[in-house]
Amino acid sequence: MFCFQCQETAKNEGCTIRGVCGKDDKVANLQDLLIYLIKGLCLICEKSGYSDEKIDKFIVESLFATITNVNFDDSDIIERIKKCIELRENIKYNSENLPDCATWKPENDEDIIKKAYTHEVSVLAERDEDKRSLKELITYGIKGISAYLYHAMNLGYNDEEIHKFIKSTLAKLTEDLSVDELFNLAMETGKYAVKTLELLDKANTGTYGHPEITEVNIGVRNRPGILISGHDLKDLEQLLEQSKDKGVDIYTHCEMLPANYYPYFKKYEHFVGNYGGAWWRQREEFKKFNGPIIMTTNCLVPPDESYKDRLYVTGPVGYPGVKRIPEKDGVKDFSEVIEHAKKCNPPEPLEEGKIIGGFAHNQVIALADKIIKAINEGKIRKFVVMAGCDGRFKVREYYTEFAKKLPKDTVILTCGCAKYRFIKLDLGDIDGIPRVLDAGQCNDSYSLVKIALTLKDVLGLKDINELPIAYNISWYEQKAVAVLLALLYLGVKNIILGPTLPAFLSPNVAKVLVEKFGISQISTVEEDMKKLGII
Ligand code: FS2
Ligand code: SF4
Protein backbone atom coordinates (compact mmCIF):
# COMPACT_ATOMS: atom_id res chain seq x y z
CA MET A 1 0.00 0.00 0.00
CA PHE A 2 0.97 3.60 -0.39
CA CYS A 3 -1.29 6.31 0.99
CA PHE A 4 -0.35 9.89 1.78
CA GLN A 5 -3.70 11.60 1.61
CA CYS A 6 -4.00 12.83 5.19
CA GLN A 7 -2.00 14.95 7.59
CA GLU A 8 -1.12 12.03 9.87
CA THR A 9 0.54 9.95 7.17
CA ALA A 10 3.56 7.99 8.46
CA LYS A 11 6.70 10.16 8.81
CA ASN A 12 4.87 12.80 6.77
CA GLU A 13 5.84 10.73 3.74
CA GLY A 14 3.29 7.96 3.29
CA CYS A 15 1.74 4.93 5.00
CA THR A 16 3.21 1.79 3.48
CA ILE A 17 2.53 -1.05 5.91
CA ARG A 18 -0.65 -0.01 7.66
CA GLY A 19 -2.37 3.34 7.94
CA VAL A 20 -1.81 5.45 11.03
CA CYS A 21 -5.63 5.77 10.79
CA GLY A 22 -5.94 1.98 11.17
CA LYS A 23 -6.66 1.19 7.51
CA ASP A 24 -4.92 -2.05 6.54
CA ASP A 25 -3.09 -2.60 3.28
CA LYS A 26 -5.93 -4.64 1.76
CA VAL A 27 -8.49 -1.87 2.27
CA ALA A 28 -5.99 0.79 1.14
CA ASN A 29 -5.22 -1.13 -2.07
CA LEU A 30 -8.90 -1.83 -2.74
CA GLN A 31 -9.65 1.87 -2.34
CA ASP A 32 -6.91 2.64 -4.89
CA LEU A 33 -8.50 0.16 -7.29
CA LEU A 34 -11.93 1.70 -6.72
CA ILE A 35 -10.60 5.16 -7.60
CA TYR A 36 -8.75 3.76 -10.62
CA LEU A 37 -11.99 2.21 -11.91
CA ILE A 38 -14.08 5.29 -11.12
CA LYS A 39 -11.68 7.28 -13.31
CA GLY A 40 -12.28 4.69 -16.04
CA LEU A 41 -16.05 4.96 -15.56
CA CYS A 42 -15.79 8.76 -15.85
CA LEU A 43 -13.74 8.40 -19.04
CA ILE A 44 -16.45 6.24 -20.58
CA CYS A 45 -19.17 8.68 -19.52
CA GLU A 46 -17.16 11.45 -21.18
CA LYS A 47 -16.44 9.55 -24.39
CA SER A 48 -19.96 8.18 -24.82
CA GLY A 49 -21.75 11.31 -23.60
CA TYR A 50 -23.76 9.04 -21.32
CA SER A 51 -25.05 10.47 -18.08
CA ASP A 52 -27.37 9.17 -15.42
CA GLU A 53 -28.19 10.06 -11.84
CA LYS A 54 -27.43 6.58 -10.55
CA ILE A 55 -23.85 6.84 -11.81
CA ASP A 56 -23.43 10.36 -10.39
CA LYS A 57 -24.67 9.25 -6.98
CA PHE A 58 -22.46 6.17 -7.07
CA ILE A 59 -19.34 8.19 -7.92
CA VAL A 60 -19.95 10.75 -5.19
CA GLU A 61 -20.71 8.22 -2.45
CA SER A 62 -17.82 5.95 -3.41
CA LEU A 63 -15.30 8.79 -3.42
CA PHE A 64 -16.62 9.78 0.00
CA ALA A 65 -16.04 6.21 1.20
CA THR A 66 -12.31 6.58 0.41
CA ILE A 67 -11.84 9.70 2.55
CA THR A 68 -9.77 9.19 5.70
CA ASN A 69 -11.63 7.55 8.59
CA VAL A 70 -14.76 6.72 6.63
CA ASN A 71 -14.61 3.12 5.48
CA PHE A 72 -12.40 0.32 6.76
CA ASP A 73 -14.45 -2.56 5.35
CA ASP A 74 -12.80 -4.53 2.52
CA SER A 75 -16.05 -6.31 1.60
CA ASP A 76 -17.87 -2.98 1.29
CA ILE A 77 -15.15 -1.64 -1.04
CA ILE A 78 -15.26 -4.87 -3.11
CA GLU A 79 -19.02 -4.41 -3.55
CA ARG A 80 -18.45 -0.85 -4.76
CA ILE A 81 -15.82 -2.07 -7.24
CA LYS A 82 -18.30 -4.60 -8.64
CA LYS A 83 -20.98 -1.94 -8.84
CA CYS A 84 -18.59 0.38 -10.69
CA ILE A 85 -17.95 -2.29 -13.32
CA GLU A 86 -21.65 -3.12 -13.57
CA LEU A 87 -22.55 0.54 -14.15
CA ARG A 88 -19.81 0.83 -16.76
CA GLU A 89 -20.89 -2.30 -18.59
CA ASN A 90 -24.45 -0.97 -18.86
CA ILE A 91 -23.16 1.89 -21.01
CA LYS A 92 -22.72 1.26 -24.73
CA TYR A 93 -19.15 2.23 -25.54
CA ASN A 94 -16.36 1.44 -27.92
CA SER A 95 -13.53 -0.11 -25.95
CA GLU A 96 -10.91 0.45 -28.65
CA ASN A 97 -7.92 2.48 -27.51
CA LEU A 98 -9.30 2.86 -24.00
CA PRO A 99 -6.93 2.44 -21.04
CA ASP A 100 -7.07 -0.52 -18.69
CA CYS A 101 -8.95 1.48 -16.00
CA ALA A 102 -11.91 1.71 -18.38
CA THR A 103 -11.93 -1.86 -19.64
CA TRP A 104 -10.60 -4.20 -16.95
CA LYS A 105 -13.03 -6.89 -15.80
CA PRO A 106 -12.58 -9.41 -12.98
CA GLU A 107 -13.89 -12.98 -12.96
CA ASN A 108 -14.26 -13.14 -9.20
CA ASP A 109 -13.34 -11.49 -5.88
CA GLU A 110 -9.90 -13.05 -5.96
CA ASP A 111 -9.18 -11.23 -9.24
CA ILE A 112 -10.26 -7.98 -7.63
CA ILE A 113 -7.92 -8.45 -4.69
CA LYS A 114 -5.03 -9.43 -6.98
CA LYS A 115 -5.57 -6.37 -9.13
CA ALA A 116 -5.74 -4.10 -6.07
CA TYR A 117 -2.20 -5.14 -5.17
CA THR A 118 -0.75 -4.19 -8.59
CA HIS A 119 1.46 -1.14 -9.03
CA GLU A 120 -0.60 0.25 -11.91
CA VAL A 121 -3.59 1.10 -9.69
CA SER A 122 -1.43 2.73 -7.02
CA VAL A 123 -0.83 6.44 -6.52
CA LEU A 124 2.82 5.70 -7.33
CA ALA A 125 1.94 4.56 -10.86
CA GLU A 126 2.45 8.18 -11.87
CA ARG A 127 6.24 8.37 -11.89
CA ASP A 128 6.63 12.10 -12.33
CA GLU A 129 6.66 13.48 -8.78
CA ASP A 130 5.12 16.86 -9.67
CA LYS A 131 2.37 15.40 -11.82
CA ARG A 132 1.61 12.85 -9.10
CA SER A 133 1.43 15.63 -6.55
CA LEU A 134 -1.01 17.69 -8.62
CA LYS A 135 -3.09 14.68 -9.64
CA GLU A 136 -3.52 13.70 -6.01
CA LEU A 137 -4.21 17.31 -4.96
CA ILE A 138 -7.04 17.34 -7.52
CA THR A 139 -8.30 13.87 -6.58
CA TYR A 140 -8.39 14.73 -2.86
CA GLY A 141 -10.11 18.04 -3.62
CA ILE A 142 -12.71 16.10 -5.60
CA LYS A 143 -13.14 13.64 -2.72
CA GLY A 144 -13.93 16.61 -0.48
CA ILE A 145 -16.33 18.07 -3.04
CA SER A 146 -18.03 14.67 -3.28
CA ALA A 147 -18.55 14.54 0.48
CA TYR A 148 -20.17 17.99 0.49
CA LEU A 149 -22.29 17.16 -2.53
CA TYR A 150 -23.39 13.87 -0.95
CA HIS A 151 -24.86 15.75 2.03
CA ALA A 152 -26.60 18.30 -0.20
CA MET A 153 -28.06 15.49 -2.31
CA ASN A 154 -29.40 13.78 0.80
CA LEU A 155 -31.46 16.91 1.39
CA GLY A 156 -32.72 16.98 -2.20
CA TYR A 157 -30.31 19.65 -3.48
CA ASN A 158 -28.21 18.87 -6.53
CA ASP A 159 -26.23 20.53 -9.29
CA GLU A 160 -25.60 18.86 -12.62
CA GLU A 161 -22.62 21.17 -13.30
CA ILE A 162 -20.73 19.85 -10.28
CA HIS A 163 -21.24 16.24 -11.37
CA LYS A 164 -20.05 17.16 -14.85
CA PHE A 165 -16.93 18.75 -13.41
CA ILE A 166 -16.19 15.69 -11.26
CA LYS A 167 -16.55 13.29 -14.18
CA SER A 168 -14.67 15.34 -16.75
CA THR A 169 -11.81 16.05 -14.33
CA LEU A 170 -11.42 12.45 -13.18
CA ALA A 171 -11.49 11.38 -16.84
CA LYS A 172 -8.73 13.91 -17.63
CA LEU A 173 -6.59 12.44 -14.87
CA THR A 174 -6.26 9.28 -16.99
CA GLU A 175 -4.54 11.33 -19.71
CA ASP A 176 -0.98 12.59 -19.80
CA LEU A 177 -1.54 16.24 -18.89
CA SER A 178 1.29 18.74 -18.47
CA VAL A 179 2.16 20.20 -15.08
CA ASP A 180 0.60 23.53 -16.15
CA GLU A 181 -2.61 21.85 -17.25
CA LEU A 182 -2.79 19.99 -13.96
CA PHE A 183 -2.16 23.16 -11.99
CA ASN A 184 -5.02 24.91 -13.77
CA LEU A 185 -7.24 21.91 -13.08
CA ALA A 186 -6.37 22.19 -9.37
CA MET A 187 -7.49 25.83 -9.39
CA GLU A 188 -10.66 24.83 -11.22
CA THR A 189 -11.25 22.28 -8.45
CA GLY A 190 -11.22 25.21 -6.01
CA LYS A 191 -13.88 26.95 -8.04
CA TYR A 192 -16.14 23.89 -7.83
CA ALA A 193 -15.38 23.49 -4.13
CA VAL A 194 -16.83 26.99 -3.59
CA LYS A 195 -19.86 26.12 -5.70
CA THR A 196 -20.45 22.89 -3.78
CA LEU A 197 -20.04 24.51 -0.37
CA GLU A 198 -22.56 27.14 -1.42
CA LEU A 199 -25.00 24.43 -2.51
CA LEU A 200 -24.59 22.59 0.79
CA ASP A 201 -25.18 25.82 2.70
CA LYS A 202 -28.38 26.31 0.74
CA ALA A 203 -29.41 22.71 1.45
CA ASN A 204 -28.77 22.95 5.19
CA THR A 205 -30.29 26.37 5.79
CA GLY A 206 -33.13 25.80 3.32
CA THR A 207 -34.09 22.63 5.17
CA TYR A 208 -33.34 23.41 8.80
CA GLY A 209 -33.26 27.23 8.98
CA HIS A 210 -30.31 29.51 9.69
CA PRO A 211 -28.11 28.56 12.66
CA GLU A 212 -28.54 31.01 15.52
CA ILE A 213 -26.64 31.84 18.71
CA THR A 214 -27.11 28.84 20.97
CA GLU A 215 -25.83 27.60 24.30
CA VAL A 216 -25.21 23.88 23.90
CA ASN A 217 -25.31 21.73 27.01
CA ILE A 218 -22.22 19.50 27.36
CA GLY A 219 -23.44 17.62 30.43
CA VAL A 220 -25.69 14.54 30.54
CA ARG A 221 -29.17 13.57 31.78
CA ASN A 222 -30.09 10.41 33.62
CA ARG A 223 -31.83 8.52 30.81
CA PRO A 224 -30.22 6.17 28.28
CA GLY A 225 -28.83 7.98 25.29
CA ILE A 226 -27.90 7.59 21.63
CA LEU A 227 -24.81 9.37 20.38
CA ILE A 228 -24.74 10.53 16.78
CA SER A 229 -21.48 11.57 15.11
CA GLY A 230 -20.32 12.62 11.65
CA HIS A 231 -21.89 15.33 9.52
CA ASP A 232 -25.19 14.13 8.07
CA LEU A 233 -28.09 16.29 9.28
CA LYS A 234 -30.71 14.23 7.46
CA ASP A 235 -29.68 11.18 9.49
CA LEU A 236 -30.03 13.21 12.67
CA GLU A 237 -33.47 14.43 11.63
CA GLN A 238 -34.69 10.88 11.03
CA LEU A 239 -33.21 9.67 14.30
CA LEU A 240 -34.81 12.50 16.30
CA GLU A 241 -38.18 11.90 14.70
CA GLN A 242 -38.13 8.14 15.25
CA SER A 243 -36.84 8.31 18.83
CA LYS A 244 -39.18 10.94 20.29
CA ASP A 245 -41.29 9.78 23.24
CA LYS A 246 -39.27 6.57 23.46
CA GLY A 247 -37.58 7.32 26.77
CA VAL A 248 -34.14 7.90 25.26
CA ASP A 249 -32.07 11.05 24.77
CA ILE A 250 -30.06 12.08 21.73
CA TYR A 251 -26.58 13.61 21.99
CA THR A 252 -24.34 14.92 19.24
CA HIS A 253 -20.66 14.08 19.00
CA CYS A 254 -17.75 15.92 17.33
CA GLU A 255 -18.82 17.43 13.98
CA MET A 256 -22.52 16.88 14.73
CA LEU A 257 -22.33 19.52 17.51
CA PRO A 258 -23.44 22.38 15.19
CA ALA A 259 -26.78 20.60 14.61
CA ASN A 260 -27.69 22.09 18.01
CA TYR A 261 -27.52 25.57 16.43
CA TYR A 262 -30.34 24.96 13.92
CA PRO A 263 -33.81 26.17 14.87
CA TYR A 264 -35.42 23.09 13.33
CA PHE A 265 -33.89 20.66 15.81
CA LYS A 266 -34.67 22.70 18.90
CA LYS A 267 -38.24 21.46 19.04
CA TYR A 268 -37.09 17.99 20.11
CA GLU A 269 -37.22 17.84 23.90
CA HIS A 270 -35.04 14.71 23.94
CA PHE A 271 -32.24 16.42 21.98
CA VAL A 272 -29.98 17.06 24.94
CA GLY A 273 -26.71 18.54 23.70
CA ASN A 274 -23.18 17.47 22.85
CA TYR A 275 -21.08 14.70 24.40
CA GLY A 276 -17.28 14.71 24.23
CA GLY A 277 -14.75 16.37 22.00
CA ALA A 278 -12.92 15.86 18.73
CA TRP A 279 -12.99 12.57 16.82
CA TRP A 280 -9.63 11.24 17.97
CA ARG A 281 -10.76 11.03 21.60
CA GLN A 282 -13.63 8.70 20.73
CA ARG A 283 -12.19 5.44 22.08
CA GLU A 284 -12.10 6.78 25.60
CA GLU A 285 -15.38 8.73 25.31
CA PHE A 286 -17.49 6.08 23.54
CA LYS A 287 -16.65 3.62 26.33
CA LYS A 288 -18.15 6.01 28.87
CA PHE A 289 -21.21 6.88 26.82
CA ASN A 290 -22.74 3.46 27.63
CA GLY A 291 -25.36 3.65 24.86
CA PRO A 292 -25.34 3.08 21.09
CA ILE A 293 -23.28 5.32 18.81
CA ILE A 294 -24.10 6.07 15.17
CA MET A 295 -21.36 7.13 12.75
CA THR A 296 -22.96 8.91 9.82
CA THR A 297 -19.62 9.91 8.22
CA ASN A 298 -16.03 10.45 9.27
CA CYS A 299 -14.19 10.41 11.54
CA LEU A 300 -14.39 6.80 12.67
CA VAL A 301 -11.50 5.39 14.70
CA PRO A 302 -11.24 1.56 14.63
CA PRO A 303 -13.40 0.62 17.63
CA ASP A 304 -12.38 -0.99 20.82
CA GLU A 305 -14.07 -4.34 21.63
CA SER A 306 -15.63 -2.72 24.73
CA TYR A 307 -18.09 -0.73 22.60
CA LYS A 308 -17.93 -2.27 19.12
CA ASP A 309 -21.31 -3.95 19.65
CA ARG A 310 -22.81 -0.54 20.46
CA LEU A 311 -21.53 1.00 17.24
CA TYR A 312 -23.71 1.44 14.12
CA VAL A 313 -22.71 2.81 10.72
CA THR A 314 -24.61 4.27 7.81
CA GLY A 315 -24.04 5.93 4.41
CA PRO A 316 -20.44 5.77 3.16
CA VAL A 317 -19.10 4.53 6.52
CA GLY A 318 -18.02 0.93 6.98
CA TYR A 319 -16.19 -1.23 9.49
CA PRO A 320 -16.04 -5.04 9.48
CA GLY A 321 -18.44 -6.60 11.96
CA VAL A 322 -20.19 -3.30 12.78
CA LYS A 323 -23.95 -3.17 12.23
CA ARG A 324 -25.35 -1.06 9.38
CA ILE A 325 -28.57 0.96 9.79
CA PRO A 326 -31.20 -0.55 7.44
CA GLU A 327 -32.33 1.82 4.70
CA LYS A 328 -35.10 1.79 2.13
CA ASP A 329 -35.74 4.52 -0.44
CA GLY A 330 -33.80 7.09 1.56
CA VAL A 331 -35.58 6.27 4.83
CA LYS A 332 -33.36 4.87 7.55
CA ASP A 333 -34.74 2.58 10.20
CA PHE A 334 -33.28 3.42 13.62
CA SER A 335 -35.64 1.12 15.57
CA GLU A 336 -32.91 -1.39 16.47
CA VAL A 337 -30.66 1.40 17.79
CA ILE A 338 -33.53 2.84 19.85
CA GLU A 339 -34.38 -0.57 21.36
CA HIS A 340 -30.67 -1.13 22.02
CA ALA A 341 -30.42 2.23 23.84
CA LYS A 342 -33.32 1.37 26.15
CA LYS A 343 -31.30 -1.52 27.57
CA CYS A 344 -28.23 0.63 28.27
CA ASN A 345 -27.20 2.74 31.25
CA PRO A 346 -27.29 6.52 30.95
CA PRO A 347 -24.04 8.14 29.79
CA GLU A 348 -21.30 8.81 32.29
CA PRO A 349 -20.75 12.57 32.59
CA LEU A 350 -17.50 13.82 31.03
CA GLU A 351 -17.92 17.49 31.83
CA GLU A 352 -20.50 20.12 32.65
CA GLY A 353 -21.31 23.48 31.19
CA LYS A 354 -22.06 24.95 27.82
CA ILE A 355 -20.54 25.68 24.42
CA ILE A 356 -21.71 28.84 22.69
CA GLY A 357 -22.01 28.63 18.91
CA GLY A 358 -24.26 29.27 15.96
CA PHE A 359 -22.30 32.04 14.26
CA ALA A 360 -22.94 31.02 10.69
CA HIS A 361 -23.17 33.79 8.07
CA ASN A 362 -26.77 34.79 8.70
CA GLN A 363 -26.23 35.26 12.43
CA VAL A 364 -22.92 37.10 12.01
CA ILE A 365 -24.39 39.35 9.33
CA ALA A 366 -27.27 40.11 11.71
CA LEU A 367 -24.60 41.34 14.14
CA ALA A 368 -22.77 43.30 11.42
CA ASP A 369 -23.57 46.77 12.84
CA LYS A 370 -22.22 45.80 16.23
CA ILE A 371 -19.12 44.23 14.67
CA ILE A 372 -18.40 47.19 12.37
CA LYS A 373 -18.80 49.55 15.34
CA ALA A 374 -16.29 47.50 17.34
CA ILE A 375 -13.88 47.54 14.37
CA ASN A 376 -14.25 51.31 13.91
CA GLU A 377 -13.71 51.93 17.61
CA GLY A 378 -10.56 49.79 17.52
CA LYS A 379 -12.04 47.23 19.89
CA ILE A 380 -11.75 44.48 17.28
CA ARG A 381 -8.43 44.79 15.50
CA LYS A 382 -8.26 41.45 13.78
CA PHE A 383 -10.21 38.28 13.00
CA VAL A 384 -8.28 35.06 12.91
CA VAL A 385 -9.71 32.14 10.98
CA MET A 386 -8.72 29.06 12.98
CA ALA A 387 -10.78 26.51 11.13
CA GLY A 388 -10.37 23.00 9.78
CA CYS A 389 -9.64 19.72 11.43
CA ASP A 390 -8.32 18.42 14.70
CA GLY A 391 -6.01 15.42 14.98
CA ARG A 392 -4.22 13.16 17.41
CA PHE A 393 -0.74 14.56 17.29
CA LYS A 394 0.67 16.45 20.26
CA VAL A 395 1.95 19.19 17.99
CA ARG A 396 -1.67 20.38 17.70
CA GLU A 397 -1.43 21.76 21.23
CA TYR A 398 -0.03 24.71 19.28
CA TYR A 399 -3.61 25.69 18.39
CA THR A 400 -4.73 25.86 22.03
CA GLU A 401 -1.69 27.94 22.89
CA PHE A 402 -2.28 30.18 19.86
CA ALA A 403 -5.90 30.80 20.88
CA LYS A 404 -4.91 31.50 24.50
CA LYS A 405 -2.18 33.95 23.51
CA LEU A 406 -4.22 35.94 21.03
CA PRO A 407 -4.49 39.58 22.10
CA LYS A 408 -7.85 40.57 23.60
CA ASP A 409 -8.78 42.71 20.59
CA THR A 410 -8.90 39.70 18.26
CA VAL A 411 -11.79 37.37 17.43
CA ILE A 412 -11.49 33.76 16.26
CA LEU A 413 -13.68 32.63 13.36
CA THR A 414 -13.90 28.86 13.37
CA CYS A 415 -15.64 25.85 11.91
CA GLY A 416 -14.84 22.15 11.69
CA CYS A 417 -13.52 19.95 14.46
CA ALA A 418 -10.43 22.22 14.79
CA LYS A 419 -12.53 24.21 17.28
CA TYR A 420 -12.20 21.55 19.97
CA ARG A 421 -8.68 22.83 20.64
CA PHE A 422 -10.13 26.06 22.10
CA ILE A 423 -13.95 26.16 22.11
CA LYS A 424 -14.20 25.23 25.78
CA LEU A 425 -11.71 27.91 26.92
CA ASP A 426 -13.23 31.04 28.34
CA LEU A 427 -11.81 33.65 25.99
CA GLY A 428 -14.40 36.27 26.91
CA ASP A 429 -16.15 38.72 24.62
CA ILE A 430 -15.79 42.16 23.05
CA ASP A 431 -18.84 44.29 23.78
CA GLY A 432 -20.98 41.15 23.91
CA ILE A 433 -19.42 39.57 20.78
CA PRO A 434 -17.82 36.27 21.87
CA ARG A 435 -14.13 36.01 20.99
CA VAL A 436 -14.74 32.60 19.42
CA LEU A 437 -17.40 32.57 16.73
CA ASP A 438 -18.21 29.01 15.67
CA ALA A 439 -19.91 28.85 12.27
CA GLY A 440 -20.46 25.08 12.38
CA GLN A 441 -19.02 21.95 10.78
CA CYS A 442 -16.15 21.91 8.29
CA ASN A 443 -19.08 21.54 5.87
CA ASP A 444 -20.04 25.10 6.80
CA SER A 445 -16.77 26.66 5.62
CA TYR A 446 -18.86 28.60 3.12
CA SER A 447 -20.12 30.67 6.06
CA LEU A 448 -16.63 32.00 6.71
CA VAL A 449 -16.27 32.89 3.03
CA LYS A 450 -19.61 34.67 3.04
CA ILE A 451 -18.74 36.57 6.23
CA ALA A 452 -15.43 37.69 4.69
CA LEU A 453 -17.06 38.79 1.43
CA THR A 454 -19.80 40.69 3.30
CA LEU A 455 -17.26 42.47 5.50
CA LYS A 456 -15.28 43.36 2.39
CA ASP A 457 -18.36 45.01 0.85
CA VAL A 458 -19.43 46.77 4.04
CA LEU A 459 -15.93 48.12 4.61
CA GLY A 460 -15.72 49.18 0.94
CA LEU A 461 -12.56 47.16 0.24
CA LYS A 462 -11.45 46.01 -3.21
CA ASP A 463 -9.52 42.91 -2.32
CA ILE A 464 -10.32 40.12 0.12
CA ASN A 465 -6.71 40.36 1.34
CA GLU A 466 -7.25 43.95 2.57
CA LEU A 467 -9.62 42.64 5.26
CA PRO A 468 -8.41 42.50 8.87
CA ILE A 469 -8.57 38.70 8.66
CA ALA A 470 -5.64 36.32 9.15
CA TYR A 471 -5.81 32.62 8.28
CA ASN A 472 -4.29 29.91 10.46
CA ILE A 473 -5.85 26.72 9.11
CA SER A 474 -5.35 23.22 10.49
CA TRP A 475 -6.00 20.34 8.14
CA TYR A 476 -6.31 16.58 8.44
CA GLU A 477 -8.39 14.95 5.72
CA GLN A 478 -9.46 15.59 2.15
CA LYS A 479 -12.44 17.88 2.79
CA ALA A 480 -9.88 20.33 4.15
CA VAL A 481 -8.03 20.00 0.83
CA ALA A 482 -11.22 21.06 -0.97
CA VAL A 483 -11.60 24.02 1.41
CA LEU A 484 -7.98 25.05 0.90
CA LEU A 485 -8.41 24.96 -2.88
CA ALA A 486 -11.61 27.01 -2.45
CA LEU A 487 -9.72 29.69 -0.49
CA LEU A 488 -6.95 29.79 -3.10
CA TYR A 489 -9.51 30.09 -5.87
CA LEU A 490 -11.04 33.08 -4.02
CA GLY A 491 -7.60 34.69 -3.99
CA VAL A 492 -6.91 34.43 -0.25
CA LYS A 493 -3.19 34.89 0.36
CA ASN A 494 -0.71 34.19 3.16
CA ILE A 495 -2.54 31.27 4.75
CA ILE A 496 -0.63 29.52 7.50
CA LEU A 497 -1.29 25.80 7.26
CA GLY A 498 -0.51 23.12 9.78
CA PRO A 499 0.53 21.27 11.63
CA THR A 500 2.50 20.14 8.53
CA LEU A 501 2.24 20.85 4.84
CA PRO A 502 0.65 17.92 2.97
CA ALA A 503 3.07 15.09 2.20
CA PHE A 504 1.50 14.86 -1.25
CA LEU A 505 2.85 18.29 -2.20
CA SER A 506 6.10 17.73 -4.05
CA PRO A 507 8.83 20.31 -3.33
CA ASN A 508 8.15 22.00 -6.69
CA VAL A 509 4.37 22.16 -6.21
CA ALA A 510 4.83 23.43 -2.65
CA LYS A 511 7.22 26.08 -3.99
CA VAL A 512 4.62 27.31 -6.48
CA LEU A 513 1.98 27.52 -3.73
CA VAL A 514 4.41 29.49 -1.57
CA GLU A 515 5.36 31.87 -4.38
CA LYS A 516 1.88 32.37 -5.81
CA PHE A 517 -0.21 32.34 -2.64
CA GLY A 518 2.21 32.90 0.23
CA ILE A 519 1.20 29.64 1.95
CA SER A 520 3.47 28.63 4.82
CA GLN A 521 3.65 25.98 7.50
CA ILE A 522 3.10 26.81 11.18
CA SER A 523 6.22 27.50 13.23
CA THR A 524 6.03 28.87 16.79
CA VAL A 525 3.01 30.72 18.17
CA GLU A 526 4.99 33.97 18.56
CA GLU A 527 6.54 33.85 15.11
CA ASP A 528 3.23 33.07 13.45
CA MET A 529 1.46 35.87 15.32
CA LYS A 530 4.11 38.27 14.02
CA LYS A 531 3.87 36.88 10.52
CA LEU A 532 0.08 37.31 10.52
CA GLY A 533 0.35 40.86 11.85
CA ILE A 534 -1.41 39.96 15.09
CA ILE A 535 1.36 41.18 17.40
FE1 FS2 B 1 -13.01 16.57 11.65
FE2 FS2 B 1 -12.91 14.33 10.74
FE3 FS2 B 1 -15.16 17.59 9.52
FE4 FS2 B 1 -12.92 16.13 9.03
S1 FS2 B 1 -14.45 14.93 12.23
S2 FS2 B 1 -11.30 15.77 10.64
O1 FS2 B 1 -13.26 14.22 8.84
O2 FS2 B 1 -14.76 16.31 8.37
O3 FS2 B 1 -13.38 17.95 10.03
FE1 SF4 C 1 -2.13 6.88 6.26
FE2 SF4 C 1 -3.83 8.92 6.30
FE3 SF4 C 1 -3.86 7.19 4.28
FE4 SF4 C 1 -4.74 6.48 6.72
S1 SF4 C 1 -5.63 8.00 5.32
S2 SF4 C 1 -3.43 5.27 5.36
S3 SF4 C 1 -3.27 7.59 8.02
S4 SF4 C 1 -2.21 8.61 4.81
Side-chain angles (χ1 to χ4, degrees), residues 433-453:
I433 304 160
R435 288 196 51 237
V436 181
L437 301 180
D438 177 26
Q441 303 176 335
C442 58
N443 294 23
D444 301 308
S445 303
Y446 177 73
S447 255
L448 302 186
V449 168
K450 188 136 187 198
I451 291 166
L453 294 175

Side-chain angles (χ1 to χ4, degrees), residues 118-132:
T118 60
H119 180 73
E120 67 188 321
V121 310
S122 151
V123 164
L124 299 173
E126 173 56 70
R127 287 172 199 282
D128 183 303
E129 192 189 31
D130 298 329
K131 288 187 183 176
R132 185 195 308 145

Side-chain angles (χ1 to χ4, degrees), residues 295-314:
M295 292 300 307
T296 67
T297 64
N298 44 342
C299 276
L300 173 66
V301 172
D304 188 297
E305 287 305 319
S306 68
Y307 63 84
K308 192 174 169 190
D309 65 338
R310 286 192 275 118
L311 192 62
Y312 293 80
V313 294
T314 183

Side-chain angles (χ1 to χ4, degrees), residues 1 3-6 8-9 15 19-21 23 68:
M1 72 175 277
C3 181
F4 61 173
Q5 67 174 353
C6 83
E8 294 188 356
T9 193
C15 297
V20 174
C21 60
K23 187 163 79 177
T68 305

